[in-house]
Amino acid sequence: MWDIGEHVGAISTRFRVGRTAPFREAPTRPLRPSPHMLLPGLLSRSRVAFEPLLNSVRGGIVSDDAMTYDASNIQVLEELEAVRKRPSMCIGSTDERGLRHLVLEIVERAAHEILAGRASRVEVTLMPHGGVGVADDGTGVLTDGFDVPLTRLTACYGGRGRHDVTAGFHGVGLSVVNALSSRMTAEVRQDGVSTVWEYARGVAVTPATAPEPTTGSGTAFMFWPDSEVFKTMEQSLEALADRFRELAFLNRTLDISLIDERDPAEPTSMRFRFPDGVRDFVAYLDGEPSAPDIVGFELDNPGMEGEMEIAWRWTDSPEERIHSFVNSWTTHGGTHERGLRDGIADAMNAYAREQRLLPKTDSDLDDNRIGEGMTAVVAVRLDHPELQGSTRGVLGNGPVRTCVREAVREHLRGWLDGRPEQAGALISRMVARAQL
């Protein structure tokens, strides 16, 4: 990967059929006026009562002219104009969270390159005066039509699917970053030549430069968030590090470096790479890097049109912690979590009954007893994820529950059979706690 500082830019009613009730003549009742008959009178009296208020509104608060509406009041905005007018609809806010989202959108594109095997690492640099650089060492994005995803809201580089790393809010794309940046430059190094594009607030400043000889390959972006849009220009190093660490845990082939050059006297550098994936994640959550008792596996299952990577362990803590993800997007329940719980309950209860660790008079171990002290990460990567709710926080794919349940049951049963002493102690603890 080249040094990012070397180049110019990086860049109802129901009817019953066949059944009729006998006819009965209704009793005669005095005719009452319907609401429709009353309405004109009510409106007349209301107008008399509210006339002073109406006059005051016309006179001082809202004019007759301001209450008119016709075709001339319709404002048509071009794609990126709409982004700049209502930025929070795309990135959530215009504070530090929105600022961070711009970085995550660029990193998402680079992560796709790595997961597709076209790159090995990505480097993110925080520069003085709010600038951010993101560069990868891939083969370089095709220069033909390169600018389309940067200037059109509905365009993106590559397709979507199980390798779709949703790094930010809704995956709005690079064009939003471009529109909300006072300046952006992008460079592609490919086949021994370099091509550079420059933009200002989403508009090309000049045509792409003529290809020039260069070394290395990859794609880089540099951008400066627009101070007219954002309330702050200060990125949170800690928040970015937390998200990059999480992405690296969830995608074991990712290699992300984060460099902070905002203070030249004290530059900071961090690297996030976790070859053991979610196993490392569980160990990190428990603060035990070398935890030997983690149950974990990775499986590609055509039945759910995707892959699962799951790990969990039990500790002495009374708390249950389950972290779930879909295509690297944080979820708060759904079929993958339910499948995990079902599979663990199946294996634990079957083993406990067979080994007579659970009294015959006792009911099966339930979620509360099994989950106590458990730390788990369940991550699925799906070709067609169905995320429900306004914040896309619950997975709805039905086959995922069955597939995860079967896989978890099988792998946990193998783990229990191979560790009879540990399994006995664990189940005995669950039974004892339930009797308290």
Side-chain angles (χ1 to χ4, degrees):
M1 184 185 299
W2 71 90
D3 185 345
I4 198 168
E6 292 180 354
H7 51 77
V8 177
I11 354 221
S12 174
T13 299
R14 300 180 63 186
F15 295 91
R16 296 182 179 180
V17 179
R19 296 181 62 185
T20 58
F23 174 78
R24 294 181 183 179
E25 184 175 353
T28 304
R29 294 179 180 178
L31 179 64
R32 295 181 180 179
S34 71
H36 298 289
M37 298 169 64
L38 293 172
L39 187 58
L42 287 172
L43 289 176
S44 177
R45 289 193 293 273
S46 297
R47 186 168 186 85
V48 171
F50 289 99
E51 192 69 36
L53 176 60
L54 293 170
N55 288 336
S56 67
V57 169
R58 294 193 187 102
I61 303 174
V62 180
S63 69
D64 287 333
D65 291 340
M67 296 175 71
T68 61
Y69 177 81
D70 56 30
S72 64
N73 297 99
I74 299 174
Q75 185 180 8
V76 179
L77 300 173
E78 296 296 331
E79 288 185 347
L80 298 190
E81 283 184 285
V83 173
R84 290 187 58 81
K85 190 171 184 67
R86 295 289 186 268
S88 296
M89 294 182 67
C90 295
I91 59 172
S93 72
T94 55
D95 56 16
E96 188 276 327
R97 291 182 298 117
L99 201 67
R100 179 168 71 251
H101 182 77
L102 300 188
V103 181
L104 297 177
E105 286 292 339
I106 304 289
V107 170
E108 180 180 313
R109 187 215 62 82
H112 290 163
E113 294 294 296
I114 295 173
L115 296 178
R118 295 188 293 266
S120 63
R121 57 188 294 255
V122 56
E123 185 177 284
V124 181
T125 305
L126 305 182
M127 303 178 293
H129 310 297
V132 181
V134 181
D136 65 61
D137 63 349
T139 56
V141 177
L142 293 176
T143 56
D144 244 0
F146 176 85
D147 65 325
V148 176
L150 288 167
T151 57
R152 298 291 300 274
L153 282 175
T154 55
C156 66
Y157 295 113
R160 297 291 187 178
R162 68 180 67 183
H163 297 304
D164 173 19
V165 176
T166 307
F169 185 60
H170 280 303
V172 292
L174 302 186
S175 61
V176 170
V177 182
N178 196 8
L180 300 179
S181 297
S182 59
R183 180 190 170 201
M184 172 185 274
T185 64
E187 179 181 4
V188 174
R189 295 191 177 190
Q190 190 177 68
D191 300 329
V193 297
S194 169
T195 307
V196 178
W197 293 258
E198 292 193 36
Y199 303 87
R201 297 180 171 89
V203 179
V205 175
T206 60
T209 63
E212 297 182 358
T214 189
T215 59
S217 65
T219 307
F221 295 87
M222 288 177 67
F223 66 95
W224 289 260
D226 195 343
S227 60
E228 296 180 3
V229 174
F230 293 94
K231 301 171 184 177
T232 178
M233 294 291 105
E234 194 71 18
Q235 294 279 359
S236 169
L237 181 68
E238 293 75 15
L240 285 172
D242 286 345
R243 184 52 175 152
F244 293 160
R245 182 183 298 109
E246 190 174 71
L247 287 173
F249 278 134
L250 296 171
N251 302 275
R252 62 178 68 201
T253 59
L254 281 187
D255 188 345
I256 307 176
S257 293
L258 176 58
I259 304 167
D260 189 352
E261 295 180 348
R262 292 175 293 184
D263 184 354
E266 296 184 13
T268 304
S269 179
M270 292 175 271
R271 185 180 181 187
F272 306 100
R273 185 171 181 271
F274 304 100
D276 286 334
V278 298
R279 283 177 176 268
D280 284 339
F281 201 169
V282 169
Y284 172 80
L285 291 170
D286 283 342
E288 298 183 35
S290 59
D293 53 350
I294 296 176
V295 189
F297 65 92
E298 186 175 11
L299 180 67
D300 187 332
N301 193 317
M304 64 182 226
E305 295 184 283
E307 309 162 354
M308 67 184 82
E309 189 174 358
I310 305 172
W312 71 95
R313 70 188 291 257
W314 283 274
T315 68
D316 294 330
S317 169
E319 298 179 358
E320 175 193 80
R321 294 186 296 173
I322 296 180
H323 299 257
S324 63
F325 305 86
V326 179
N327 294 6
S328 301
W329 177 259
T330 302
T331 52
H332 306 285
T335 53
H336 53 337
E337 275 196 33
R338 190 64 259 172
L340 172 69
R341 295 179 184 276
D342 291 345
I344 291 177
D346 289 348
M348 295 294 282
N349 283 301
Y351 186 86
R353 296 293 183 189
E354 291 173 11
Q355 301 298 320
R356 298 182 180 180
L357 298 170
L358 189 64
K360 291 182 178 180
T361 56
D362 281 14
S363 58
D364 282 349
L365 298 169
D366 58 17
D367 286 350
N368 292 331
R369 288 193 276 180
I370 292 173
E372 191 171 340
M374 183 175 71
T375 301
V377 175
V378 51
V380 295
R381 293 181 283 272
L382 305 176
D383 293 333
H384 308 288
E386 297 172 5
L387 291 163
Q388 305 168 345
S390 59
T391 58
R392 305 197 308 173
V394 178
L395 181 66
N397 298 62
V400 171
R401 178 174 181 175
T402 301
C403 293
V404 170
R405 179 178 190 166
E406 293 173 352
V408 168
R409 179 175 61 223
E410 178 183 343
H411 284 83
L412 179 55
R413 183 55 195 255
W415 185 87
L416 294 170
D417 288 339
R419 298 165 177 79
E421 291 185 6
Q422 191 172 354
L426 178 61
I427 294 175
S428 296
R429 187 186 72 176
M430 294 178 180
V431 173
R433 284 182 174 177
Q435 294 171 347
L436 294 177

